Amino acid sequence: ILAAQESQGRRQARAKVSGKEKHKRELHRQLKFLSLVARGRAAENPELPRIFALPRLTLKQEEYLPAAEAMVAEAEKYQALFSQDGLSPKILEELRQALAAYREAAAGKLQGVSRHIGARSQLKASAKEALELVRRLDGINQYRFRDDPELLAAWLAARDVSWPGNN
């Protein structure tokens, strides 16, 4: 079960990474519209290009998401200005949806990674526990079979499994 959880967590994280990137690109495409319109309005309002500076697509999620959220918040303040340039109020709803989809995909990736790491940790603990049991059994069986070379040889062959850290 743990191996399946570990594998499933890894697959979920990988799938969410591609989904997260897809949502990030869509959000970025929509933010670009605002940035272009803001640059076109620079002559009458020089602050707009700075306010609507497009975050680099290569930024990590921790940097990109707050920058995108700030841009969307500012877009709501400047909605009337953008509508003068032909951007419908629908763009704000689409931006909020794209932002929510990106946030959700990012959270899903994190959940998958967490599940994968947790299961791997439990697998390592279980393997360590199993190794400790085999070591105890080894001592017990070597004592039990000390006078029977055939059983002792059978036990030594059976317990001779490659274990991590088994020297």
Side-chain angles (χ1 to χ4, degrees), residues 132-142 155:
E132 289 169 359
L133 282 172
V134 169
R135 285 183 178 145
R136 277 191 274 160
L137 278 173
D138 187 34
I140 292 167
N141 285 336
Q142 283 194 43
W155 166 252

Side-chain angles (χ1 to χ4, degrees), residues 12-159:
Q12 179 185 356
R14 252 185 270 147
K16 293 294 183 174
V17 165
S18 70
K20 182 182 88 162
E21 292 306 314
K22 180 186 89 166
H23 290 298
K24 184 178 182 182
R25 284 189 304 275
E26 175 58 26
L27 175 61
H28 192 77
R29 186 179 69 81
Q30 291 183 22
L31 291 173
K32 188 174 183 178
F33 299 145
L34 298 178
S35 182
L36 290 171
V37 172
R39 286 194 314 203
R41 289 268 186 175
E44 60 196 67
N45 190 341
E47 285 293 303
L48 284 179
R50 183 192 58 75
I51 293 170
F52 292 98
L54 189 63
R56 288 189 328 270
L57 191 56
T58 56
L59 288 176
K60 292 186 180 205
Q61 171 190 327
E62 301 81 34
E63 300 168 87
Y64 189 87
L65 191 55
E69 287 170 335
M71 250 180 111
V72 171
E74 288 296 325
E76 290 174 0
K77 293 178 189 174
Y78 287 93
Q79 181 176 0
L81 182 69
F82 287 129
S83 64
Q84 288 175 10
D85 289 324
L87 291 179
S88 76
K90 182 180 170 188
I91 192 170
L92 290 177
E93 182 55 36
E94 290 172 357
L95 271 169
R96 284 190 288 269
Q97 288 173 355
L99 191 56
Y102 177 55
R103 252 193 238 110
E104 184 179 318
K109 178 204 175 244
L110 193 59
Q111 184 182 45
V113 168
S114 178
R115 188 174 187 183
H116 161 73
I117 290 171
R120 183 188 305 163
S121 175
Q122 288 179 329
L123 278 170
K124 285 181 179 180
S126 294
K128 183 178 178 182
E129 186 178 319
L131 181 58
E132 289 169 359
L133 282 172
V134 169
R135 285 183 178 145
R136 277 191 274 160
L137 278 173
D138 187 34
I140 292 167
N141 285 336
Q142 283 194 43
Y143 175 75
R144 278 181 43 207
F145 304 139
R146 70 186 182 282
D147 295 329
D148 189 338
E150 192 175 314
L151 280 176
L152 181 59
W155 166 252
L156 292 174
R159 64 100 200 202

